[in-house]
Amino acid sequence: MTAAVRTTCPYCGVGCGVVASSDGAGGWAISGDKEHPANAGRLCSKGSALGETLGLDGRLLHPVVDGRQASWDEALATVADRFSDVIAEHGAQAVAFYVSGQLLTEDYYVANKLMKGFIGSANIDTNSRLCMASSVAGHRRAFGGDVVPGNYEDLELADLVVLVGSNLAWCHPVLYQRLIRAKSERGTRIVVIDPRRTATCDAADLHLAIRPGSDVLLFNGLLAHLGRAGAMDQDFIATCTNGFAEAFLSAGDDACDMDAVALGCGLTLGEIQEFYNLFTGNSKTVTVYSQGVNQSSRGTDKVNAIVNCHLATGRIGKSGMGPFSVTGQPNAMGGREVGGLANQLAAHMGFTPDDIDRVGRFWQAPRMAQREGLKAVDLFQAIEAGKIKALWVMATNPAVSLPDADRVNRALASCPFVVVSDCVGDTDTTAYADVLLPAAGWGEKDGTVTNSERRISRQRGFLPNPGEAKPDWWIISQVAARMGWSDAFAYQSPADIFAEHAALSAFENDGSRAFDIGALTGVDYDTLPPTQWPARKSSGGTARLFAEGGFPTPDARARFVTVQAATPAMSASAEYPFILNTGRIRDQWHTMTRTGLVPRLSSHIAEPFVALNPADAATLNLTDDDLAVLRSAQGDATLRIRVTRDQPQGQLFAPMHWNRHFSGNGGINALTAPVTDAISGQPELKHTPASLTPFKPAWTAFLITRGEVAPPPSAEYWTRSAAAGCTVLMLAGTALPGDLAAWAEALLPPVHGIDYHDKRRGIHRWARLDGDRLEACLFVSTDQPLPSRAWLVSLFAAPEMDAKSRTGLLSGRAPADAPDEGRTVCSCFNIGLNRIAAAICDGGLTSAEQIGAASKAGTNCGSCIPELKELIGHVRCGQAA
Ligand SMILES: Nc1nc2c(c(=O)[nH]1)N[C@H]1C(S)=C(S)[C@@H](COP(=O)(O)OP(=O)(O)OC[C@H]3O[C@@H](n4cnc5c(=O)[nH]c(N)nc54)[C@H](O)[C@@H]3O)O[C@H]1N2
Ligand SMILES: Nc1nc2c(c(=O)[nH]1)N[C@H]1C(S)=C(S)[C@@H](COP(=O)(O)OP(=O)(O)OC[C@H]3O[C@@H](n4cnc5c(=O)[nH]c(N)nc54)[C@H](O)[C@@H]3O)O[C@H]1N2
Ligand code: SF4
Ligand SMILES: [Mo]
């Protein structure tokens, strides 16, 4: 028998619908849900690999107290007692929760209710502080509430889409594919505003490689230009907004003419003119923005500078128009709806006396928090200062993802009582836990999430909870009950919680709060179709808001916000001459606790790297694949060098993903500064002054093994990556171990093997075999570069090796008739660089479509199409790529 369950993807905020189909024999196939409005059946590389994350490797399966397995009873009682004791002794402000946009709405609602209504503190903040806080603050300043006015369809209906600080091709791939399809059908113009050239720029008509941090100036200049060009919507300004005159005058002062803007933004006059003309000439404009805007010391101002231009032109809430903050996490929006941020209450209420009273009455709360709590960066500083004595972390990995991570690690180590709820047992954060609580994960738990376009979808479980894992809402409710509040937390199911959440949203809501899902209070939770809020009692869902005004402000008008251009908090200096920008890569999710285990997601980019311009590389005497130490005033990381013209001179880019399981010193947040936006509290993760120094190892090596091996202490540099049937360790050090044979033996499995040594050329190679099964390969090199490991890695995918492969083993070279795939480019179909290069050369191919027809590459999720196009220009036929 086969069964199919409709749910949603647990990764990005696009919120794609997923169908999990059982093969009846315990296996599950994952496909896109053709009926889900977000994706209509499409999935990206991460979504399509979901089936490969269902294994129980590394899962936390039992509660753990003080390092030993414990019963749920003991674990829950320990958490409740310790929190109660700290509150009794030091007050409610001495405890805190740090939660996540990866919790389901129901989990989030219960955590928020416990902290803000019953413990009586607002010290619950979320990783959304690192992600969406500036957009939330910008929305609240302009609209009076945290509302994204438009929807995904608007990107398809627009004539101009401006992407500001968003690498949509890699970070919101299905939405990007929708945009690209619209472009091919109707010629949508696309402008990308990003200091570096990203994969998203591949489809851009105009790429503005803006000086980092100068977005406010660019959009103030645009506002002034819209006035000069007579492109304002005077009616909308007059009837639906306030504060125009001041914002407009100030923008004009700030950006007195296009030359000044060009100079300040590091662009040419022609580029500025082209952008402003495109914006002026296309009323159907959507401006999408993401972390290049939010993660900035001026993030809130950047948001309002953008929103001002949309208000001035009345381009809001109408089809094909609007400012559009795309959310990162699957439930970033849901968290904002339940008030998961320390400076908000629940259901879009704030800390006004009326709101506190209203929520308090609704919850029948004994001890409502009376003031805002600590925001993430301040919260961890308060932990370090000893002010917070009990912390509960849920569904986030702050030891990796917060700025100034070494300090965050020290804070976690010094906190007297740390509880961590996670699905994974061994993360950088679980290492500090006094109590570990095993959470049910994706595919197991039930609830709702809200995507970037305000669409609430059900996430449904199709697997049993493994071991003793339990859903987060259950865990939190059980602790609440043990702290004495069993009636208020007597939930039997997520449906109970959702009904209460929906009722609160409508409670005494005369329309002054945009978030109202009163219509969903009595619906059948199990069959709840994807619905866009608001869904008031009197109506169904809502596709767009604010076309005719009606903002959730006291006078129903939107507010122009006067914003002034300013430089980022810190500048480059003689000691730290580069600006370090950080962000995401295509196939990894955040701190890699799930995607890092999937071979086909780990081969596109297998090592943490720092990208820099060829001119900077030349000055530093660095070339591609060298190693270097990146330093800032906070800390350092050792990374692989990638030389690329995509990076402007003076600017570096490094991914945020690598944790301690996958690298020795690849965590980039050791370097980022805890500098935040004064209004939103969001840290400036895109702008840290840094220096780069070559790391010249005496030896480099790779070790491929079937099981996982700990890196040897002699390796000052190491990274680990998952591949089919094996794990790859890349190693480097400054002193070659004296007794190399003994060193190698300690790393290799104790089975039969063959060795090869060429002392003169500094080459040492070992292969270990169990019959015809390859168990391990270790290649060490002192003078030469290491050979490609792709072919060797491919040998581990099969249980046995043929005789021909055996002969080539220690040369590391594939036999002529079984070519080496090379690095994976298309992760959906596992197609390597060399196969694509061969297809290009053999067929004389000149387009991504032709490559797709010849090899299938790029024909599923399309995320690799920008790279395929780049390969066409770069492959040198007649020699290996
Ligand atoms: N593959 C993948 N997809 C993801 C995630 C993931 O981990 N992996 N995470 C999800 C999450 S939670 C989030 S928040 C989103 C983030 O999605 P994005 O915001 O698109 O991703 P980032 O790479 O963080 O940053 C976007 C861009 O901002 C640019 N930038 C830096 N400084 C500036 C500046 O001063 N001005 C401008 N205009 N641009 C600047 C950077 O160069 C970068 O290309 O992605 C989501 N999707
Ligand atoms: N330098 C730099 N740093 C950044 C960023 C950047 O661009 N640059 N981006 C920031 C942004 S936008 C974000 S969103 C953060 C993300 O940073 P994190 O939130 O720290 O990243 P994740 O790896 O997604 O952590 C989620 C954790 O929750 C666990 N988990 C998954 N599902 C569940 C569940 O259902 N229940 C429980 N209890 N646990 C679960 C996972 O195993 C994992 O350990 O990083 C931020 N940090
Ligand atoms: S775009 Fe990819 S990661 Fe994002 S929700 Fe869709 S399938 Fe998941
Ligand atoms: Mo995020």
Side-chain angles (χ1 to χ4, degrees), residues 223-510:
L223 187 62
H225 175 79
L226 290 166
R228 286 194 296 268
M232 307 270 199
D233 182 339
Q234 300 297 350
D235 268 359
F236 188 83
I237 294 173
T239 54
C240 301
T241 72
N242 279 324
F244 169 73
E246 196 193 335
F248 182 68
L249 277 178
S250 164
D253 287 347
D254 220 24
C256 42
D257 57 33
M258 283 201 245
D259 285 307
V261 175
L263 194 68
C265 295
L267 299 167
T268 64
L269 182 61
E271 288 173 318
I272 299 285
Q273 275 167 339
E274 194 180 342
F275 172 46
Y276 287 2
N277 288 340
L278 277 169
F279 201 98
T280 309
N282 288 289
S283 58
K284 283 191 175 253
T285 297
V286 173
T287 306
V288 172
Y289 49 95
S290 186
Q291 300 314 342
V293 167
N294 292 333
Q295 289 173 342
S296 151
S297 52
R298 297 287 169 155
T300 311
D301 284 355
K302 286 187 182 183
V303 170
N304 287 112
I306 293 169
V307 171
N308 282 347
C309 294
H310 278 268
L311 290 175
T313 47
R315 296 177 192 170
I316 187 162
K318 302 179 187 119
S319 72
M321 304 182 194
F324 201 133
S325 149
V326 280
T327 53
Q329 300 177 88
N331 201 28
M333 287 284 260
R336 286 146 68 175
E337 289 148 21
V338 302
L341 290 158
N343 54 328
Q344 281 183 261
L345 216 39
H348 278 200
M349 284 178 267
F351 281 90
T352 62
D354 282 353
D355 284 352
I356 296 172
D357 174 62
R358 185 178 302 111
V359 178
R361 278 184 289 116
F362 181 86
W363 280 342
Q364 298 182 357
R367 238 185 317 182
M368 277 299 293
Q370 299 295 317
R371 58 183 162 92
E372 297 182 3
L374 292 168
K375 300 187 176 107
V377 171
D378 298 337
L379 177 65
F380 279 81
Q381 288 177 357
I383 296 169
E384 194 189 17
K387 293 182 194 148
I388 303 279
K389 297 173 196 306
L391 170 73
W392 188 352
V393 178
M394 307 176 203
T396 175
N397 195 359
V400 184
S401 54
L402 273 171
D404 205 359
D406 291 348
R407 195 165 156 199
V408 169
N409 279 266
R410 287 197 297 274
L412 283 164
S414 72
C415 186
F417 186 59
V418 178
V419 182
V420 180
S421 305
D422 207 293
C423 325
V424 174
D426 180 17
T427 74
D428 290 28
T429 303
T430 58
Y432 298 104
D434 297 287
V435 178
L436 267 174
L437 303 173
W442 183 80
E444 295 148 11
K445 55 197 286 184
D446 265 294
T448 54
V449 290
T450 309
N451 73 3
S452 296
E453 55 168 1
R454 288 174 282 106
R455 196 180 293 280
I456 298 172
S457 295
R458 283 278 280 108
Q459 211 174 84
R460 296 182 178 88
F462 51 92
L463 296 165
N465 292 337
E468 293 184 90
K470 291 283 192 184
D472 289 287
W473 66 265
W474 182 90
I475 302 174
I476 304 159
S477 303
Q478 289 293 317
V479 168
R482 283 168 172 78
M483 289 177 81
W485 302 300
S486 48
D487 288 348
F489 292 86
Y491 308 112
Q492 296 302 309
S493 71
D496 294 351
I497 303 166
F498 185 80
E500 183 179 313
H501 163 58
L504 175 56
S505 77
F507 183 61
E508 296 176 3
N509 189 353
D510 54 4

Side-chain angles (χ1 to χ4, degrees), residues 511-669:
S512 55
R513 282 148 32 216
F515 180 69
D516 183 340
I517 53 167
L520 306 184
T521 32
V523 296
D524 178 7
Y525 188 69
D526 282 337
T527 57
L528 179 72
T531 306
Q532 281 179 293
W533 66 259
R536 299 203 168 85
K537 270 250 152 64
S538 49
S539 70
T542 311
R544 297 183 181 87
L545 293 96
F546 308 149
E548 315 294 332
F551 293 90
T553 51
D555 60 3
R557 285 164 174 263
R559 298 178 284 235
F560 278 91
V561 182
T562 301
V563 288
Q564 260 148 15
T567 47
M570 292 191 293
S571 324
S573 61
E575 191 178 5
Y576 300 113
F578 293 98
I579 290 304
L580 170 66
N581 173 10
T582 65
R584 290 153 174 80
I585 60 172
R586 192 187 79 192
D587 289 352
Q588 291 298 346
W589 178 259
H590 294 165
T591 70
M592 293 170 65
T593 60
R594 288 170 289 169
T595 47
L597 307 175
V598 181
R600 72 173 155 122
L601 296 180
S602 301
S603 162
H604 181 237
I605 296 176
E607 279 182 281
F609 65 89
V610 54
L612 81 167
N613 182 274
D616 291 329
T619 313
L620 293 170
N621 198 15
L622 284 165
T623 53
D624 237 356
D625 281 340
D626 278 355
L627 293 171
V629 180
L630 187 60
R631 266 194 201 87
S632 78
Q634 285 65 241
D636 61 72
T638 313
L639 304 165
R640 192 69 70 186
I641 288 293
R642 284 195 156 202
V643 181
T644 166
R645 285 183 208 290
D646 297 344
Q647 234 14 72
Q649 244 176 291
Q651 295 181 36
L652 310 172
F653 176 83
M656 63 166 288
H657 305 288
W658 271 265
N659 66 29
R660 275 191 228 140
H661 181 76
F662 291 105
S663 70
N665 192 28
I668 205 63
N669 279 324

Side-chain angles (χ1 to χ4, degrees), residues 9-18 39 42-48 50 171-175 589:
C9 173
Y11 298 121
C12 86
V14 178
C16 296
V18 165
N39 57 318
R42 299 180 200 102
L43 293 176
C44 76
S45 54
K46 295 183 298 303
S48 5
L50 272 169
C171 296
H172 298 89
V174 167
L175 188 55
W589 178 259

